Amino acid sequence: MIMFDIANLSIGVIILLLRVAVVFLLYFFLWQVVRVVSRDLRAGPASPAQQNPYGQLVVTSSGQTGIPVGKVFPLSPVMLIGRSTETEVALNDTFLSSEHARLERRDGVWSLEDLNSTNGTYLNGFEVRASTEVNDGDVIRVGRVELKLVVR
């Protein structure tokens, strides 16, 4: 009889220790989450230039294409814009050619070129007929989609 009580007592102690361990691990996890979140908040928001040294293209108007306004395309030195999924900026717009336009950085300057598209490429409302310089904040329209160049 005495052995039976000792067995019940040791099982009770083991269950109590397991409960304490679970509570400890839960609080430790929450402490780690708070630590990481507070560190990220202290760091502040990253600017586009910190995220990508070349900047980004941001969708400002999508017409009826279903592309979300605010969608971001990180820039690389040469960007093909078109309907094809093989382009760097693939846009689901029937008014676009497969390879519609090229945005390229040469000697620190961005230039935009239409690739003989059917519906044309526009920069700030004017049709692009030859390689044209693009500056920060300029709006590129291809098909029904408008993209803003952000390089700061």
Side-chain angles (χ1 to χ4, degrees), residues 6-133:
I6 292 175
N8 281 339
L9 180 65
S10 63
I11 289 174
V13 169
I14 290 172
I15 290 175
L16 176 66
L17 290 175
L18 286 174
R19 286 180 178 171
V20 169
V22 166
V23 169
F24 172 77
L25 289 174
L26 177 65
Y27 279 109
F28 180 72
F29 172 75
L30 290 175
W31 176 71
Q32 290 291 340
V33 168
V34 168
R35 205 178 92 190
V36 168
V37 168
S38 66
R39 183 184 66 213
D40 287 348
L41 288 175
R42 276 193 304 263
S47 70
Q50 290 173 329
Q51 295 172 1
N52 183 335
Y54 297 109
Q56 59 193 7
L57 283 175
V58 181
V59 175
T60 58
S61 176
S62 60
Q64 299 169 344
T65 62
I67 300 166
V69 172
K71 181 177 173 81
V72 173
F73 295 96
L75 292 175
S76 60
V78 177
M79 302 286 294
L80 286 178
I81 303 169
R83 193 176 67 241
S84 170
T85 56
E86 310 232 341
T87 60
E88 287 80 8
V89 181
L91 302 169
N92 184 22
D93 186 354
T94 55
F95 283 79
L96 289 178
S97 301
S98 294
E99 290 184 353
H100 195 94
R102 177 185 302 118
L103 182 64
E104 186 173 4
R105 184 177 168 131
R106 288 185 229 132
D107 301 322
V109 176
W110 287 101
S111 63
L112 179 65
E113 180 182 359
D114 183 72
L115 300 176
N116 297 318
S117 64
T118 304
N119 294 317
T121 301
Y122 296 84
L123 179 64
N124 297 323
F126 296 100
E127 188 171 7
V128 173
R129 297 188 182 271
S131 185
T132 306
E133 183 177 331

